[in-house]
Amino acid sequence: GAWDYKVDNDNAEVQALGANETIDEVFTVTTTDDQDQAITITITGADDASLISVTGSGESAIGGVTEETGVDGNNKISTSGTISVTDADTSHTAAFKTAPAEIVLKSTEATSQLGTLTINASGAWSYSVDNTLGAIQALDTGESIVEVFTVSTTDGLDTQDITITINGKDDDSQI
């Protein structure tokens, strides 16, 4: 006899399979002459891409710093945030690439990169810039410089831009 099988591709157990991982489903059918026959269906997994999201409470891919505001002992001004990454494949660890060379400056409105963005494997990012840089000190209130960095997942299948705005502040006049 003929038979048909359809897998529920949205099933969590199916989605959890990594590339070439398998699950066997065995069904026993009985023929009209009372003979049992096992039918084995093998479901083979695929490599699902890690997915970045910026939808959780407190998550942000946008940050800002203001000249002369919150300057630390090293003359740095900074901002931070968090983004998330997930991977349906349970054999994979969903994470971000953390090496400085893998965090790419996508664009800057300055003549060169001003600040530094770091991210840990779980998605907590931090940006800092030297408050004493001429490009920052030249900004007045209402002026800004935007830097955009691109981070990626360890599987390289998803990326996220993190946008930082460096806001100016009027400096006191010097006599």
Side-chain angles (χ1 to χ4, degrees), residues 139-162:
L139 294 171
D140 289 324
T141 298
E143 297 178 329
S144 63
I145 297 171
V146 175
E147 292 193 301
V148 179
F149 296 85
T150 302
V151 297
S152 58
T153 57
T154 54
D155 65 7
L157 298 175
D158 201 7
T159 62
Q160 174 68 49
D161 287 346
I162 298 176

Side-chain angles (χ1 to χ4, degrees), residues 108-114 135 145-147:
T108 182
E109 295 174 348
T111 56
S112 63
Q113 180 175 341
L114 299 176
I145 297 171
V146 175
E147 292 193 301

Side-chain angles (χ1 to χ4, degrees), residues 89-126:
D89 299 330
T90 57
S91 61
H92 294 161
T93 301
F96 289 94
K97 293 180 180 179
T98 60
E102 295 174 319
I103 300 170
V104 178
L105 177 67
K106 182 176 181 179
S107 65
T108 182
E109 295 174 348
T111 56
S112 63
Q113 180 175 341
L114 299 176
T116 303
L117 184 97
T118 59
I119 190 167
N120 70 17
S122 61
W125 59 264
S126 179

